[in-house]
C-alpha cells in the first residue's frame, strides 16, 4: 500500500515540482511510526480543512474530507488501487461522475497524472447544493461560518 502511494507521490512531486503534503487519517494516530510510512513528507493530523483550502489539488481514495476540496473548488484525483474494497471504488465512481474528476489506478504506476486539472464549477456547485449544503435559502449553510473563517 505505502509503496504504491509513495511511488505515485514521487511522480507527482517531480511532475509538478512541489511537495505532497499528507492530511493523515485520524486512525493513523494509533500506529507507532505512521508518519514515517510516507517517507520525509510532512504529515498532519486533524488539518484536512486548512490543507484543502491551501492546496493546488487533492488526492484521496475516498473520504468525506473531499467535501472540503469541493467547497474550496479544488480539483480532486481519486487514487484507486487493485486491492481497494469494491465499496470504495463505487464511491470513487459516484463522486467522479458527479464532479467530472479523475480516477487513477496507482497500483504499480499503472496510470500517469492528468495534464489538465480544471474544476467544473457548475458541477461542484451542484454537488454542494445537492449533498453538502441545505437547499433552502432560509436555512444557514452549516459550512458558511467555517468558510468565512478560513477565507477571511
Amino acid at each position: 500500500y505505502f509503496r504504491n502511494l509513495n511511488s505515485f507521490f514521487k511522480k507527482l512531486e517531480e511532475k509538478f515540482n512541489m511537495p505532497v503534503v499528507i492530511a493523515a487519517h485520524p486512525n493513523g494516530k494509533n500506529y507507532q511510526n505512521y508518519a514515517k510510512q510516507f517517507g520525509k513528507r510532512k504529515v498532519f493530523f486533524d488539518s484536512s480543512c486548512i490543507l484543502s483550502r491551501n492546496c493546488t489539488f487533492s488526492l484521496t481514495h475516498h473520504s468525506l474530507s473531499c467535501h472540503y476540496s469541493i467547497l474550496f473548488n479544488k480539483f480532486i484525483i481519486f487514487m484507486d488501487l487493485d486491492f481497494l474494497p469494491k465499496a470504495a471504488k463505487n464511491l470513487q465512481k459516484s463522486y467522479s461522475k458527479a464532479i467530472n474528476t479523475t480516477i487513477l489506478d496507482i497500483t504499480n504506476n499503472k496510470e500517469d497524472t492528468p495534464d489538465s486539472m480544471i474544476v467544473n464549477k457548475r458541477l461542484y456547485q451542484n454537488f454542494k447544493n445537492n449533498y453538502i449544503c441545505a437547499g433552502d435559502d432560509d436555512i444557514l449553510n452549516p459550512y458558511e461560518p467555517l468558510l468565512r473563517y478560513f477565507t477571511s
Side-chain angles (χ1 to χ4, degrees), residues 8-21:
F8 181 64
F9 294 163
K10 182 179 179 189
K11 186 191 300 190
L12 286 173
E13 289 166 334
E14 289 170 356
K15 181 173 183 172
F16 295 105
N17 195 30
M18 67 176 70
V20 169
V21 176

Side-chain angles (χ1 to χ4, degrees), residues 6-116:
N6 286 319
S7 178
F8 181 64
F9 294 163
K10 182 179 179 189
K11 186 191 300 190
L12 286 173
E13 289 166 334
E14 289 170 356
K15 181 173 183 172
F16 295 105
N17 195 30
M18 67 176 70
V20 169
V21 176
I22 310 297
H25 192 281
N27 289 347
K29 293 179 191 176
N30 300 328
Y31 298 96
Q32 189 175 18
N33 299 320
Y34 179 77
K36 289 183 180 178
Q37 299 296 318
F38 296 100
K40 295 185 179 187
R41 293 178 182 90
K42 292 182 181 178
V43 177
F44 297 91
F45 289 95
D46 306 318
S47 301
S48 296
C49 183
I50 194 72
L51 290 172
S52 295
R53 175 184 170 219
N54 295 322
C55 74
T56 303
F57 57 90
S58 273
L59 307 166
T60 187
H61 299 302
H62 180 269
S63 167
L64 285 178
S65 290
C66 74
H67 288 190
Y68 295 128
S69 295
I70 294 169
L71 288 167
F72 291 119
N73 292 316
K74 303 295 182 168
F75 191 83
I76 301 171
I77 296 174
F78 289 97
M79 299 179 296
D80 188 15
L81 291 156
D82 287 348
F83 47 85
L84 275 185
K86 186 175 181 177
K89 291 176 181 278
N90 288 339
L91 285 170
Q92 287 179 339
K93 288 176 188 171
S94 294
Y95 273 74
S96 180
K97 182 178 178 184
I99 60 174
N100 191 34
T101 192
T102 303
I103 301 173
L104 293 180
D105 186 345
I106 66 165
T107 310
N108 300 314
N109 281 316
K110 285 184 181 174
E111 294 187 55
D112 200 7
T113 58
D115 290 322
S116 175

